[in-house]
Amino acid sequence: MNAPSLAAARDRAAAVKAAARTWRHGLDAMDRMSPAAAARACYQPGGPSLVELEARIKADRAARTRSHRAAA
């Protein structure tokens, strides 16, 4: 069995890093939106309702704010 080359490992690492950066930018963009706008952006037919999504977003933001304050 051939071991992956160092170049292939570096390429994979770079791809993972780029994907993580893109994900983080998306999360940051969602945090700049109002909860209602973020809920509309996330809504998928057949999934949670807009009201439920907005409540989840508000709860997530409140939890992250509390954990950030506790860590400080």
Side-chain angles (χ1 to χ4, degrees), residues 7-36:
R10 285 182 180 152
D11 289 346
R12 276 192 303 281
V16 168
K17 199 174 202 178
R21 189 178 317 104
T22 299
W23 181 265
R24 183 72 238 170
H25 285 284
L27 291 176
D28 292 344
M30 291 293 284
D31 279 345
R32 288 189 296 271
M33 293 180 182
S34 70

Side-chain angles (χ1 to χ4, degrees), residues 5 10 27 29 31 38 44 51-52 54:
S5 71
R10 285 182 180 152
L27 291 176
D31 279 345
Q44 292 284 323
V51 172
E52 187 176 351
E54 189 172 347

Side-chain angles (χ1 to χ4, degrees), residues 39-57:
R40 286 191 303 273
C42 293
Y43 178 75
Q44 292 284 323
S49 69
L50 284 172
V51 172
E52 187 176 351
L53 285 170
E54 189 172 347
R56 288 181 186 185
I57 291 165

